[in-house]
């Protein structure tokens, strides 16, 4: 994978991260969902701004590192794994939105 080939997956990952953060906070504030990740739930209860920062910074760190490292098998594995997780979470959010 060339660094240029990381552009679209990186953009998708960041967009899904923003959508996940927004939908999670919206769902929690509306009482529709709760944060399933115990660590992130603890951060949210401690300080919502930290939750927001951590939730958005982790994918951003992966994107920056992937562009610094470039084409490597570990980068492809991490990027694909992150995308699978975020697409799955996004679909879960879509289901609860449809059920409201």
């Amino acid at each position: 994978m060339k660094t240029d080939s990381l552009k679209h997956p990186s953009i998708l990952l960041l967009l899904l991260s923003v959508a996940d953060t927004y939908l999670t906070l919206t769902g929690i504030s509306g009482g529709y969902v709760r944060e399933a990740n115990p660590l992130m739930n603890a951060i949210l209860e401690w300080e919502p701004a930290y939750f927001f920062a951590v939730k958005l910074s982790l994918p951003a760190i992966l994107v920056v590192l992937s562009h610094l490292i470039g084409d490597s098998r570990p980068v492809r594995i991490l990027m694909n794994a992150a995308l699978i997780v975020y697409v799955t979470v996004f679909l879960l959010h879509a289901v609860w939105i449809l059920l409201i």
Side-chain angles (χ1 to χ4, degrees):
M1 185 176 342
K2 297 178 187 173
T3 302
D4 288 345
S5 66
L6 296 172
K7 182 179 179 181
H8 292 108
S10 295
I11 291 169
L12 179 59
L13 180 62
L14 293 174
L15 289 173
L16 287 169
S17 172
V18 169
D20 173 42
T21 302
Y22 173 76
L23 292 171
T24 298
L25 290 173
T26 301
I28 289 170
S29 68
Y32 302 113
V33 298
R34 63 179 181 80
E35 176 58 51
N37 179 332
L39 178 61
M40 291 305 293
N41 190 53
I43 293 171
L44 177 62
E45 288 176 0
W46 181 39
E47 177 58 54
Y50 295 156
F51 173 85
F52 185 80
V54 170
K55 197 95 162 152
L56 293 177
S57 66
L58 293 176
I61 290 169
L62 175 59
V63 167
V64 169
L65 288 176
S66 70
H67 286 275
L68 290 174
I69 295 168
D71 183 14
S72 71
R73 188 167 196 262
V75 167
R76 286 192 303 268
I77 291 170
L78 286 173
M79 185 64 75
N80 288 332
L83 285 170
I84 289 168
V85 168
Y86 274 99
V87 167
T88 302
V89 168
F90 185 78
L91 292 173
L92 289 172
H93 283 302
V95 167
W96 66 254
I97 287 170
L98 291 172
L99 293 176
I100 296 177

